[in-house]
Amino acid sequence: QINGAEMIYKENAMVRVADFTERLKKQYSSLGTLVILPNTQAVDKSKLESDDIHVQITAVTPYFEDDPIERKTEWDNNFNVREFIFETPFTSTGKAHGDLSVQCKRKTIVKTEKSFPYVKKRLKVISKREVILQPLQNAIEIIQTREKALRMELHRSPANPKTLQ
């Protein structure tokens, strides 16, 4: 029974969310009408049609609390992964996006019952926690992310002038 359950699917890095969604539609079409819910809103179960199959899909990335320097290789970043993160923008006015002075971010960190890679492509989420970034914290994180990308590009040989702009 997966009713109300949250799952993490491990897919090839080249699989787009749209392609994954289409595959799920085909997979569950024999069970009823599959309704894709927007991934930026919390689900109010009382407003869902009971006859339909409701799915909310969002891309996640591996989350590591340890020092990123310890995870240098692709192997390190893709083996024994149990926590994942996704971010949802919102504003204090209720909209998804707005001026930087009101733009917040919700970081949702989920933990699976086992570690990836695993025999199955789908693992159940056993815990979830949220971190809310206020506008100032969000702005600082945006600047730090851009600074990190710029530093990485400067260390490439040769540097790509398009990314330096």
Side-chain angles (χ1 to χ4, degrees), residues 16 22 26 42 44 49 74 78-79 93-94 123:
R16 298 176 329 156
E22 284 303 313
K26 289 177 186 171
D44 182 359
E49 294 288 329
E74 280 295 311
N78 290 290
F79 183 77
T93 61
L123 290 174

Side-chain angles (χ1 to χ4, degrees), residues 49-60:
E49 294 288 329
S50 61
D51 296 340
D52 294 339
I53 301 167
H54 299 88
V55 177
Q56 190 174 34
I57 300 172
T58 190
V60 297

Side-chain angles (χ1 to χ4, degrees), residues 79-130:
F79 183 77
N80 200 23
V81 180
R82 202 168 169 197
E83 289 190 303
F84 299 87
I85 187 169
F86 64 93
E87 299 175 347
T88 311
F90 69 97
T91 64
S92 51
T93 61
K95 297 181 181 178
H97 297 282
D99 185 61
L100 200 56
S101 63
V102 294
Q103 186 68 56
C104 302
K105 187 188 304 182
R106 178 181 300 109
K107 293 181 168 195
T108 306
I109 302 157
V110 296
K111 187 174 187 177
T112 56
E113 59 188 340
K114 306 264 187 210
S115 297
F116 279 110
Y118 191 65
V119 176
K120 298 179 182 179
K121 291 178 77 171
R122 173 179 84 185
L123 290 174
K124 192 172 187 173
V125 171
I126 58 169
S127 68
K128 176 167 57 170
R129 68 183 192 273
E130 292 183 347

Side-chain angles (χ1 to χ4, degrees), residues 5 17 22 29 33 37 39 50-51 53 63-65 74-75 82 104 114 116 122 137 140 143 149 164:
V17 172
E22 284 303 313
S29 63
T33 306
L37 303 171
N39 65 0
S50 61
D51 296 340
I53 301 167
Y63 175 75
F64 307 108
E65 284 197 50
E74 280 295 311
W75 172 262
R82 202 168 169 197
C104 302
K114 306 264 187 210
F116 279 110
R122 173 179 84 185
Q137 295 167 309
I140 290 169
I143 291 169
L164 294 175

